[in-house]
Amino acid sequence: MNYRNLHAWDVSATRAVEIQKELRSLIELTPLTDVELVAGADLAFPDAKHGVAAIVVLNISTMRVVEQVIVHETVNFPYVPGLLAFREGPVFLKAWQQLRVLPDVVMFDGQGIAHPRRLGIASHMGLFLDLPTIGVAKSHLYGSFIEPPNVQGSYTFLYDNNEVIGAVVRTKVGNKPLFVSPGHKCDVLSALKLTLRCCTKHRLPEPTRLAHELTQKYKHVGLFG
DNA sequence: GCGACAG
DNA sequence: ATCTTGTCGC
């Protein structure tokens, strides 16, 4: 699977929804194995027409940064709940091209299969990259659940009728839980396990948290700094 | 018709 | 996401 064969980004919202329906069957929910390099991606928007994307790669054993890249690009697609990949995907992929190492899995700031059409940004990008991906959202989009206990590491499952599509995880006491769901080539438990392993001392997992940190600095320095 | 709605 | 100061809590 290569992203060049999937579709173009410059499409209407209606077409975007059709594309998601066409791609959902391609998602593979297989267990995650032999993970060493974990990447985290995040986006920021300095103004209405530009987006900044950062990717930070960590060695899961040492939790040290192996590589990080950051790029900026003009954005056209507006933010529409359910169509996040069409707004952030292009900038993310530009950053991805700058990466020298190949991560074993990528964590995104958004949903995986916990999406109306099972194609959150993590799932969509997973197909483009043909790599395992995980969606780690800071808030709810789709699925039913009960609030997990206010205890570090506790979690409940996210359901779509009787199907488990993700987990609601309390990574930090007193804070809102995270909505974790597999994107591609990963299953719910693998996504849950890796996410908890990356949440060392903050609510967000290190990969995504560090990428966000980078993106914010870059945004304040300016597009040319 | 009404409420929900990743970033 | 972004605009923004002080402020409550561990």
Side-chain angles (χ1 to χ4, degrees):
Chain A
M1 180 61 61
N2 185 303
Y3 70 84
R4 295 174 189 289
N5 312 317
L6 298 179
H7 63 76
W9 289 113
D10 185 24
V11 297
S12 66
T14 302
R15 176 57 186 144
V17 169
E18 291 310 311
I19 288 171
Q20 296 183 326
K21 292 178 180 176
E22 294 168 16
L23 300 178
R24 67 177 298 174
S25 66
L26 300 176
I27 296 300
E28 299 168 24
L29 301 179
T30 53
L32 201 53
T33 56
D34 305 316
V35 174
E36 183 185 340
L37 300 182
V38 185
D42 185 67
L43 277 285
F45 300 88
D47 58 60
K49 296 182 178 180
H50 297 81
V52 175
I55 300 176
V56 175
V57 184
L58 303 177
N59 179 306
I60 190 66
S61 300
T62 65
M63 284 306 271
R64 305 296 284 177
V65 177
V66 173
E67 181 182 5
Q68 56 180 41
V69 297
I70 185 162
V71 303
H72 63 77
E73 182 62 276
T74 57
V75 296
N76 301 303
F77 208 92
Y79 167 68
V80 179
L83 303 180
L84 187 61
F86 290 85
R87 175 175 174 72
E88 307 195 339
V91 194
F92 162 74
L93 291 171
K94 181 177 181 179
W96 183 263
Q97 299 183 312
Q98 304 299 303
L99 227 44
R100 299 178 70 262
V101 299
L102 179 63
D104 295 307
V105 55
V106 188
M107 299 179 81
F108 288 84
D109 205 331
Q111 315 289 342
I113 63 171
H115 174 282
R117 290 168 293 283
R118 294 285 192 287
L119 215 83
I121 188 169
S123 298
H124 203 147
M125 293 302 99
L127 287 177
F128 266 66
L129 309 177
D130 189 29
L131 282 178
T133 56
I134 297 173
V136 182
K138 298 184 296 298
S139 62
H140 171 79
L141 170 66
Y142 184 82
S144 56
F145 68 99
I146 58 173
E147 189 87 359
N150 188 23
V151 176
Q152 145 80 268
S154 71
Y155 63 85
T156 56
F157 289 113
L158 242 191
Y159 294 89
D160 180 5
N161 291 305
N162 295 311
E163 182 181 357
V164 175
I165 58 176
V168 185
V169 195
R170 187 81 63 181
T171 59
K172 206 166 187 296
V173 174
N175 286 130
K176 294 192 305 179
L178 257 34
F179 294 75
V180 180
S181 60
H184 182 46
K185 293 190 169 183
C186 179
D187 60 13
V188 175
L189 293 181
S190 296
L192 173 60
K193 183 178 178 183
L194 187 65
T195 298
L196 281 174
R197 205 177 150 188
C198 290
C199 289
T200 57
K201 51 185 297 187
H202 298 278
R203 179 171 85 112
L204 299 178
E206 290 304 286
T208 288
R209 192 183 71 77
L210 292 175
H212 183 263
E213 206 170 81
L214 243 190
T215 225
Q216 292 304 302
K217 290 179 183 175
Y218 191 91
K219 183 187 66 178
H220 292 307
V221 171
L223 269 43
F224 306 100

